[in-house]
């Protein structure tokens, strides 16, 4: 009950905002973990929903380690899409969405609350964007992500030829295709060597 009250309590300091954002990222990890168990062992369809689980883990990591306002906005959009798909599936209007509308509502509530607190955190920390560093880090992340994705593609081709596989599995194609945006996002995290000297904004990028 105390944790629930603290979740909805007014944010009055940078430390309180940081505590909430950390807790929010852990909740995202927990939701992703529970979904992976549900899809794998109960529904037997993890392959069809693994991207949802992966996105939750990525959002959790980015929120925990970068305090990115862009990421929380994207999380809100993602949670709205999840709720819409779940609602349509719930009422039998469409197929392919989730079935747990309560979890979708929880994710939506968490997302919007996290977005609000994220902006409060930057307000308390009095941060300012450093546009030059933002551009440099995005270019570095994009370049390294392209190299990683291309290397992964070449690796799959070489392995396929070595094993005599003439047709690539659709799952392998999805992994290669999605490796570019996923690695791009992760390469923007502030703890990486090239990021430490090129902070995207002034003030504390992370406090713990």
């Amino acid at each position: 009950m105390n944790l629930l009250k603290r979740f909805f309590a007014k944010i009055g300091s940078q430390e309180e905002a940081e505590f909430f954002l950390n807790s929010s990222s852990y909740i995202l990890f927990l939701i992703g973990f529970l979904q992976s168990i549900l899809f794998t062992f109960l529904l037997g369809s993890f392959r069809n929903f693994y991207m949802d689980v992966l996105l939750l883990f990525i959002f959790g990591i980015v929120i925990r380690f970068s305090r990115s306002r862009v990421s929380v906005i994207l999380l809100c959009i993602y949670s709205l899409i999840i709720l819409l798909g779940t609602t349509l599936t719930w009422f039998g209007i469409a197929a392919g969405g989730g079935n747990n509308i309560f979890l979708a509502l929880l994710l939506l509530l968490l997302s919007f609350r996290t977005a609000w607190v994220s902006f409060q955190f930057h307000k308390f920390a009095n941060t300012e964007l450093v546009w030059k560093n933002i551009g440099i880090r995005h270019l570095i992340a994009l370049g390294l992500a392209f190299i990683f994705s291309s290397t992964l593609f070449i690796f799959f081709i070489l392995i396929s030829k070595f094993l005599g596989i003439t047709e690539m599995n659709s799952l392998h194609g999805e992994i290669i295709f999605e490796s570019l945006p996923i690695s791009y996002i992760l390469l923007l995290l502030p703890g990486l060597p090239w990021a430490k000297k090129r902070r995207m904004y002034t003030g504390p990028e992370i406090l713990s």
Side-chain angles (χ1 to χ4, degrees):
M1 184 61 71
N2 291 332
L3 182 61
L4 189 63
K5 288 182 179 179
R6 192 167 184 178
F7 184 85
F8 289 104
K10 181 180 179 181
I11 303 297
S13 67
Q14 182 180 328
E15 290 73 21
E16 291 179 358
E18 183 185 25
F19 172 83
F20 180 90
L21 292 174
N22 290 344
S23 301
S24 177
S25 66
Y26 299 146
I27 293 173
L28 288 174
F29 294 148
L30 179 61
I31 293 175
F33 177 71
L34 293 176
Q35 279 194 328
S36 64
I37 294 176
L38 175 66
F39 294 145
T40 303
F41 298 104
L42 298 181
L43 300 179
S45 58
F46 181 74
R47 177 175 174 179
N48 296 329
F49 295 97
Y50 75 93
M51 195 60 190
D52 293 336
V53 175
L54 185 59
L55 282 174
L56 287 174
F57 278 113
I58 290 175
F59 279 125
I61 291 172
V62 173
I63 291 171
R64 175 64 180 84
F65 293 104
S66 76
R67 312 300 191 213
S68 169
R69 286 164 286 191
V70 174
S71 67
V72 293
I73 293 173
L74 292 176
L75 178 61
C76 289
I77 296 172
Y78 170 73
S79 62
L80 280 171
I81 295 173
I82 292 296
L83 179 61
L84 177 61
T86 303
T87 304
L88 293 176
T89 303
W90 182 274
F91 288 104
I93 300 174
N99 295 312
N100 196 331
I101 194 169
F102 301 105
L103 185 60
L105 286 170
L106 173 64
L107 180 61
L108 181 68
L109 177 63
L110 176 67
S111 302
F112 277 86
R113 178 67 173 162
T114 302
W116 169 256
V117 175
S118 179
F119 279 86
Q120 289 293 104
F121 171 83
H122 286 277
K123 180 180 178 181
F124 287 126
N126 195 29
T127 59
E128 294 183 5
L129 295 173
V130 183
W131 293 104
K132 179 182 177 181
N133 290 347
I134 290 175
I136 293 174
R137 278 177 58 177
H138 275 273
L139 286 174
I140 293 174
L142 184 60
L144 292 177
F146 178 77
I147 293 172
F148 173 75
S149 184
S150 301
T151 303
L152 189 63
F153 175 74
I154 295 171
F155 174 77
F156 269 108
I157 294 296
L158 293 176
I159 290 295
S160 298
K161 286 186 175 181
F162 178 77
L163 298 176
I165 300 173
T166 58
E167 185 175 349
M168 183 177 293
N169 188 293
S170 60
L171 178 60
H172 297 159
E174 291 175 11
I175 293 174
I176 294 172
F177 177 76
E178 293 159 0
S179 65
L180 178 61
I182 291 173
S183 57
Y184 169 62
I185 294 171
L186 295 178
L187 285 166
L188 289 172
L189 291 174
L192 298 172
W194 57 85
K196 292 180 179 179
K197 295 181 179 179
R198 300 180 179 89
R199 299 180 65 177
M200 289 189 179
Y201 45 80
T202 59
E205 195 153 347
I206 186 168
L207 301 179
S208 63

